[in-house]
Amino acid sequence: MARCDVCFRHCEIAEGKLGFCGARSCISGKVVQANYGKITSLALDPIEKKPLARFHPGSLVLSAGSYGCNLRCPFCQNYEISWSEEAWKLADKTDAVSPEELTQTAAYYREKGNIGVAFTYNEPLVGYEYVLDTARLVKQAGMDTVLVTNGTASLSVLEKLAPYIDAMNIDLKGFTDRYYEKVLKGDRKMVMDFIARAVQICHVELTTLIVPGENDSEEEMVSLSSWVAGLTSESGKTTGYEIPLHISRFFPRFMMQDRKATEVGLIYHLAEVARKKLKYVYTGNC
Ligand code: SF4
């Protein structure tokens, strides 16, 4: 038995079993990354798809994902690899790709406009050891690294990765504890602490998916954007006002089919609300 402290769940993992995220196990009394190098998805994506609007615009980034997640968003777009019966079967079906191999692949695509590697699709921080080993090599090869994350990880994990990550898109999925705890099975405070530190480390953009009836009020967007606007980088050079926020539209998916897609007009309205506090607000899926 061993305790994992990567996220707020602090899973006590029995020998040979998996933690809640399905990506971490206990071998010989120690927590290990069970999905190390198990790349289930690989694509050369436009950087805007991460989404990152203000980090090397117009470039491509080799995007890699594994399996497992420490949240349970019922509308997950990537449930086949994050949390579902299909996801749990991927462990046996997927061959491992070493950090060296992934770095070589990224370098190969450089002449096609690739700037580096993005760790994305599933939650990369439940397998942060692979991210760390690969990001080090990618940086040594003179390329960039991007992390697309739900921000549900301890600050000690973030500090380990800090020297090797150039940009992050972090979900700030809403701004109430009710939504984070009841719907996503997450912890809002852990995400807020993660974001507050990440903006001192690298380029950060945030994403909020607006789900009808859950996090779609004007008041919530005022609170969320005001909090972001109050953040500052360590040097004090970047203020929260300059942190890009992507507000995107929900579509019924996976286990949340009981409501319609978010009205486009509401997304535009909430973007206007956020623009009172933030300089760069983008709308997505509209
Ligand atoms: S990262 Fe996974 S195993 Fe570790 S505490 Fe979180 S859910 Fe549990």
Side-chain angles (χ1 to χ4, degrees):
M1 180 82 86
R3 192 173 96 150
C4 175
D5 290 320
V6 165
C7 81
F8 72 99
R9 293 185 187 283
H10 301 291
C11 296
E12 297 279 355
I13 312 174
E15 187 70 22
K17 301 289 184 200
L18 295 169
F20 179 88
C21 59
R24 305 185 70 74
S25 183
C26 171
I27 306 288
S28 305
K30 289 209 168 107
V31 177
V32 296
Q33 181 188 346
N35 68 352
Y36 191 96
K38 301 271 180 122
I39 301 296
T40 62
S41 323
L42 191 65
L44 196 57
D45 280 342
I47 195 95
E48 286 78 8
K49 210 173 154 187
K50 299 303 96 193
L52 287 174
R54 304 190 63 78
F55 182 77
H56 297 292
S59 63
L60 298 172
V61 64
L62 184 68
S63 301
S66 183
Y67 63 84
C69 188
N70 50 359
L71 295 187
R72 289 293 179 267
C73 308
F75 45 76
C76 182
Q77 309 260 339
N78 291 336
Y79 63 88
E80 296 97 333
I81 61 165
S82 59
W83 69 278
S84 61
E85 286 306 312
E86 293 105 299
W88 308 139
K89 289 179 193 152
L90 289 169
D92 298 329
K93 286 192 197 163
T94 314
D95 292 331
V97 177
S98 70
E100 290 78 11
E101 285 169 315
L102 190 59
T103 305
Q104 281 160 15
T105 307
Y108 174 81
Y109 285 111
R110 237 171 167 171
E111 62 181 38
K112 291 196 172 359
N114 180 36
I115 60 162
V117 173
F119 303 93
T120 177
Y121 302 135
N122 75 314
E123 173 47 50
L125 294 180
V126 296
Y128 78 89
E129 294 92 337
Y130 182 77
V131 173
L132 181 59
D133 292 347
T134 309
R136 264 199 197 112
L137 295 178
V138 173
K139 292 307 301 165
Q140 275 168 22
M143 294 181 285
D144 287 319
T145 56
V146 170
L147 195 59
V148 181
T149 175
N150 63 30
T152 305
S154 68
L155 293 182
S156 66
V157 167
L158 178 57
E159 294 304 338
K160 284 184 184 124
L161 294 171
Y164 310 104
I165 301 296
D166 295 296
M168 295 189 204
N169 184 292
I170 309 172
D171 282 337
L172 180 54
K173 291 175 187 273
F175 215 63
T176 63
D177 289 334
R178 181 206 67 81
Y179 182 55
Y180 258 95
E181 287 164 21
K182 296 264 165 24
V183 180
L184 315 175
K185 313 296 180 215
D187 183 298
R188 182 168 69 115
K189 183 175 183 305
M190 180 166 252
V191 177
M192 289 168 69
D193 290 347
F194 188 95
I195 291 170
R197 177 68 185 125
V199 300
Q200 299 176 340
I201 288 169
C202 66
H203 176 85
V204 169
E205 303 194 14
L206 303 173
T207 297
T208 306
L209 179 82
I210 302 296
V211 181
E214 299 292 349
N215 60 353
D216 56 349
S217 73
E218 193 173 312
E219 295 72 32
E220 189 165 337
M221 184 51 69
V222 170
S223 311
L224 186 152
S225 53
S226 302
W227 179 76
V228 174
L231 299 171
T232 45
S233 67
E234 213 157 42
S235 63
K237 263 198 257 162
T238 308
T239 65
Y241 171 64
E242 293 167 292
I243 296 171
L245 174 66
H246 299 260
I247 299 178
S248 61
R249 197 175 167 219
F250 158 92
F251 288 96
R253 286 274 187 281
F254 190 34
M255 294 193 179
M256 194 176 260
Q257 307 265 353
D258 61 342
R259 62 202 78 194
K260 293 191 175 142
T262 321
E263 295 286 339
V264 173
L266 177 61
I267 297 293
Y268 289 143
H269 173 64
L270 293 177
E272 278 311 311
V273 171
R275 283 187 189 111
K276 292 194 176 124
K277 300 284 178 187
L278 303 172
K279 188 173 179 185
Y280 304 113
V281 179
Y282 303 91
T283 54
N285 295 344
C286 289

